[in-house]
Amino acid sequence: MWKIVWGCPLSSLASAIGSAVKNITDHNKGLVRVVDIEANILARNSDPIGSVALASDTNKLYIYLGSAWGSIDIVS
């Protein structure tokens, strides 16, 4: 059973986030893809919007939003 977030099934929210990231990254080919520790990722501020980073010391995937990094917890 999917969890409800902000009145929508979590599956819908995940789909919407995926679509938004795809739309941004389609316009920014060749984006930076980073694997580093969380502190180093959060210190970065000159990457293109839509850049993706995986924190090697946490279970988080980061997406650069232009002024800050947004994160998604990865659950296995």
Side-chain angles (χ1 to χ4, degrees):
M1 186 64 142
W2 286 97
K3 184 176 179 181
I4 303 295
V5 177
W6 296 311
C8 297
L10 187 57
S11 60
S12 297
L13 178 61
S15 177
I17 291 169
S19 294
V21 169
K22 182 184 180 308
N23 290 340
I24 289 171
T25 57
D26 280 349
H27 297 293
N28 295 298
K29 299 293 183 192
L31 292 177
V32 176
R33 287 169 188 84
V34 178
V35 177
D36 205 341
I37 63 170
E38 183 177 42
N40 291 345
I41 293 168
L42 295 175
R44 299 170 67 105
N45 61 9
S46 61
D47 294 303
I49 293 173
S51 294
V52 176
L54 176 65
S56 59
D57 60 340
T58 67
N59 290 331
K60 294 182 181 176
L61 178 67
Y62 287 90
I63 301 169
Y64 192 62
L65 305 172
S67 60
W69 288 91
S71 68
I72 300 169
D73 289 329
I74 301 170
V75 180
S76 57

